[in-house]
Amino acid sequence: MAKYKVVINKETCIADGVCWSLCPQVFEMDEQGKSRIVESFRTEDSESRSEGIIGDDLIDCARAAADACPTASIVIEEVKE
Ligand code: SF4
């Protein structure tokens, strides 16, 4: 199964909630109102960025959120094993 790294740039996130509305399986709101990766997939979280690894079962949902993000704050790349 392919794996994908999802990175959220919290410095450009405007906290409009589009990503967690479209794909709550991967994205949620943090304490600052910004987006972060949900705990079960999260590998890193700070004030400036949040990262996680997801499987291909969630890639369509995560890509829809990334494509809809108005500030292009979500980047997804395949993890080479
Ligand atoms: S869609 Fe983009 S700007 Fe909106 S909350 Fe998610 S990461 Fe932030």
Side-chain angles (χ1 to χ4, degrees):
M1 185 170 89
K3 288 196 160 46
Y4 297 86
K5 180 163 135 179
V6 183
V7 180
I8 303 161
N9 182 348
K10 294 194 191 185
E11 293 184 347
T12 56
C13 172
I14 57 170
D16 63 356
V18 168
C19 55
W20 63 76
S21 295
L22 287 173
C23 188
Q25 299 97 320
V26 176
F27 303 95
E28 67 179 15
M29 182 172 70
D30 74 2
E31 292 80 6
Q32 307 167 304
K34 303 287 183 85
S35 178
R36 75 177 169 199
I37 305 296
V38 298
E39 187 174 12
S40 51
F41 302 120
R42 195 183 307 146
T43 55
E44 182 186 325
D45 191 53
S46 70
E47 282 199 11
S48 60
R49 60 196 275 129
S50 185
E51 290 186 20
I53 302 286
I54 61 169
D56 49 14
D57 53 327
L58 288 171
I59 189 61
D60 289 349
C61 160
R63 281 217 173 104
D67 289 347
C69 174
T71 57
S73 298
I74 302 168
V75 174
I76 301 172
E77 58 186 51
E78 189 168 354
V79 177
K80 303 287 180 202
E81 308 223 23

